[in-house]
Amino acid sequence: MLLNRQRRRAVIAGAVTVATAALGIGLSTQFAGAQATTLRGAADAIGKDIGVAVSYSQLVNNASYRDTVAGEFNSLTAENSMKWDATEPQDGNYTFSQADAIVDFAEANGQSVHGHTFVWHSQTPSWVQGLNATAMRTAMVDHINTVANRYEGRVDSWDVVNEVVSDNNGAMRDSFWLRTMGEGYITTAFQTARAADPNADLYINDYSIDGINAKSDTVYRIAQGLKSQNLLDGVGFQAHLILGQVPSSMEANLQRFVDLGLKVRITELDIRMNLPADSAKLQQQANDYQRVVEMCAELLDCSGVTVWGLRDGDSWVPGTFPGTGAPLLFNDDYSKKPAYTAVLNALGGGGTGNPTTTPATSDPATTSPPPTGSGCTATLSVSSPWNTGATYSATVKADQNLNGWKVTWTWPGSERISNAWSVTGTLTGATVNGANESYNGTLAAGQSTTFGFNITKADGSTASTPTVTCTPA
């Protein structure tokens, strides 16, 4: 599958233009020559997918939307146009116009496609849900064969089954699939997909499995069984997250699936906040995005990250969680949010995106001043305090070209780091001695990178911001 992705992305290198018949457009002019300062260019440079869920109607009707999708992303997922209700609304009556247009657009713009989804309890027509076990199995097999065969060699990977585990202590979801066919419907779906397109990567996809918990344990059990039959290539972690709540066990959770010999993929990333948004919330969101994307960037078997929508106004979140929103990388006018720059940095890029916002306050109690020094400077800021802890954001800025950096500080009170990201070293005691990870140590003069951590502290005490000493490694 890697060869297919590389081939597609190379087709239009330079000034080659390929017409997209269904949409009447060619290669976006924003793609050429933008590799150093776009999400797409940064992801291509490290061999990762940076994807976006796209709307057919927006691709057809909105030139700015098309240009941004083509210029910033190297992978597409159809938000709705490949689901069962969109492709086979009546038994045997297939409609592929929307899905075809999205795949055509991706090919014209050198992008890979992650297919979503064959089997799901939602957005499946009622005619399927009322079938008996034999007829339902026949309908499933026919549907997967027809859709997979149509896009064989054009869609690189598929979410074969979606959301098969419930939110109740890791039990199987009580769907019409399970009630009618038993848990074996999952194996049948993967067997069919494997036979229909042997070269596509096959994923199981779910939400709230980002950390280690009862639900992800059940997905792990299912994955073990499917992997043992050579039916599963990867696990998709939807990562519909809440501000400041990236699971502390997420890195370990991804690793345990990789240890099974599977790929992992962040498939539907968004990070919602209580509205209205403000600078502090946007900074925390940027920190959260950076942490998640860095997990994938540093994990060899993470195939990529897909954000679930382009602009905040395109998101499903406000309609499902009233009072929350602003979960994506772009504002409605296509301006870049702080989270955009954080993702660009996490992918190893840097440049022309809007700079990360400063913390909401410059009070010395919540932001440490940079000390005078040689080679680099570092600052800490408290981005999200609570009664017994806080989330911190740290910035390291290079005063000269660096091949690595070290930071050190001593907590003046009861603060102790409980978990950290994008930094390594001796972190948990009163004196912290940190250093760069392998992917964020090389900085040109004037460039900066970030890391972050959570702390615990004595109840009611104020989270401090000690002065940090930064030195070249």
Side-chain angles (χ1 to χ4, degrees):
M1 300 318 300
L2 178 60
L3 290 177
N4 284 344
R5 290 192 187 96
Q6 290 174 333
R7 175 180 56 79
R8 289 177 192 168
R9 292 172 188 169
V11 164
I12 47 167
V16 178
T17 299
V18 181
T20 305
L23 299 178
I25 62 173
L27 169 64
S28 165
T29 58
Q30 293 187 5
F31 172 57
Q35 292 193 358
T37 57
T38 63
L39 302 180
R40 177 177 186 153
D44 281 344
I46 63 172
K48 302 287 186 182
D49 284 347
I50 183 67
V52 62
V54 294
S55 159
Y56 166 78
S57 63
Q58 291 284 357
L59 282 178
V60 170
N61 297 311
N62 190 327
S64 296
Y65 184 96
R66 290 195 299 268
D67 285 345
T68 305
V69 167
E72 292 287 352
F73 300 94
N74 60 21
S75 174
L76 302 185
T77 298
E79 185 173 11
N80 290 297
S81 296
M82 287 185 173
K83 293 172 181 173
W84 198 316
D85 61 351
T87 54
E88 193 187 5
Q90 291 85 39
D91 188 5
N93 180 17
Y94 287 91
T95 59
F96 291 113
S97 58
Q98 293 189 17
D100 282 353
I102 290 170
V103 174
D104 288 346
F105 179 91
E107 290 182 336
N109 287 280
Q111 297 162 309
S112 63
V113 178
H114 180 76
H116 179 79
T117 175
F118 290 137
V119 176
W120 189 26
H121 66 276
S122 184
Q123 290 183 247
T124 300
S126 58
W127 69 263
V128 180
Q129 301 182 36
L131 298 173
N132 63 36
T134 300
M136 188 176 289
R137 184 186 188 280
T138 299
M140 175 200 285
V141 170
D142 176 78
H143 180 81
I144 294 174
N145 277 328
T146 302
V147 178
N149 288 162
R150 183 177 187 87
Y151 298 111
E152 184 176 4
R154 304 180 71 197
V155 170
D156 297 272
S157 52
W158 283 99
D159 292 331
V160 177
V161 299
N162 191 49
E163 299 177 2
V164 301
V165 182
S166 79
D167 301 328
N168 182 23
N169 294 321
M172 298 302 297
R173 180 177 294 280
D174 185 25
S175 66
F176 65 88
W177 295 111
L178 184 70
R179 292 191 297 272
T180 305
M181 296 179 62
E183 192 172 331
Y185 81 91
I186 298 172
T187 302
T188 298
F190 276 94
Q191 289 172 334
T192 306
R194 181 66 88 205
D197 189 350
N199 293 315
D201 283 344
L202 306 182
Y203 283 74
I204 183 172
N205 190 55
D206 218 319
Y207 67 90
S208 295
I209 63 167
D210 313 297
I212 296 175
N213 54 40
K215 188 169 183 176
S216 63
D217 286 346
T218 299
V219 173
Y220 185 86
R221 173 184 62 80
I222 297 169
Q224 282 179 307
L226 293 170
K227 174 63 177 175
S228 70
Q229 301 173 69
N230 193 32
L231 296 176
L232 183 68
D233 299 298
V235 178
F237 301 80
Q238 290 186 13
H240 294 298
L241 301 174
I242 299 171
L243 189 72
Q245 296 185 27
V246 179
S248 61
S249 60
M250 190 167 179
E251 293 95 335
N253 191 42
L254 296 178
Q255 186 63 55
R256 67 170 174 162
F257 285 93
V258 167
D259 291 343
L260 287 178
L262 295 169
K263 299 177 183 179
V264 294
R265 187 180 186 93
I266 310 301
T267 53
E268 304 182 20
L269 178 61
D270 50 35
I271 301 175
R272 64 184 183 269
M273 64 183 69
N274 291 329
L275 297 176
D278 59 31
S279 59
K281 293 175 185 177
L282 292 172
Q283 178 63 56
Q284 179 64 54
Q285 183 183 61
N287 297 343
D288 292 345
Y289 262 104
Q290 182 152 349
R291 182 181 169 201
V292 173
V293 176
E294 282 177 344
M295 290 183 204
C296 184
E298 69 184 14
L299 192 58
L300 181 63
D301 292 309
C302 181
S303 60
V305 175
T306 293
V307 290
W308 204 245
L310 183 65
R311 301 168 298 167
D312 285 341
D314 302 322
S315 173
W316 67 290
V317 166
T320 305
F321 302 101
T324 72
L328 298 172
L329 304 182
F330 290 86
N331 295 304
D332 291 350
D333 63 358
Y334 300 95
S335 60
K336 300 165 184 175
K337 296 170 59 181
Y340 172 96
T341 303
V343 171
L344 183 62
N345 290 338
L347 293 170
T352 61
N354 289 350
T356 303
T357 59
T358 57
T361 176
S362 59
D363 189 323
T366 56
T367 305
S368 62
T372 58
S374 175
C376 59
T377 56
T379 57
L380 298 179
S381 63
V382 179
S383 55
S384 181
W386 60 92
N387 192 36
T388 59
T391 298
Y392 281 68
S393 176
T395 300
V396 173
K397 183 176 181 180
D399 301 323
Q400 63 185 44
N401 292 342
L402 297 180
N403 292 318
W405 46 263
K406 295 180 179 179
V407 291
T408 185
W409 69 89
T410 299
W411 294 112
S414 63
E415 299 90 350
R416 296 293 184 270
I417 293 177
S418 55
N419 64 289
W421 48 95
S422 302
V423 63
T424 189
T426 304
L427 306 175
T428 56
T431 297
V432 175
N433 290 286
N436 60 278
E437 295 278 12
S438 60
Y439 54 84
N440 64 352
T442 302
L443 300 172
Q447 285 190 326
S448 62
T449 189
T450 62
F451 64 91
F453 52 87
N454 293 327
I455 60 118
T456 59
K457 60 184 176 64
D459 187 25
S461 62
T462 300
S464 64
T465 52
T467 298
V468 184
T469 300
C470 182
T471 56

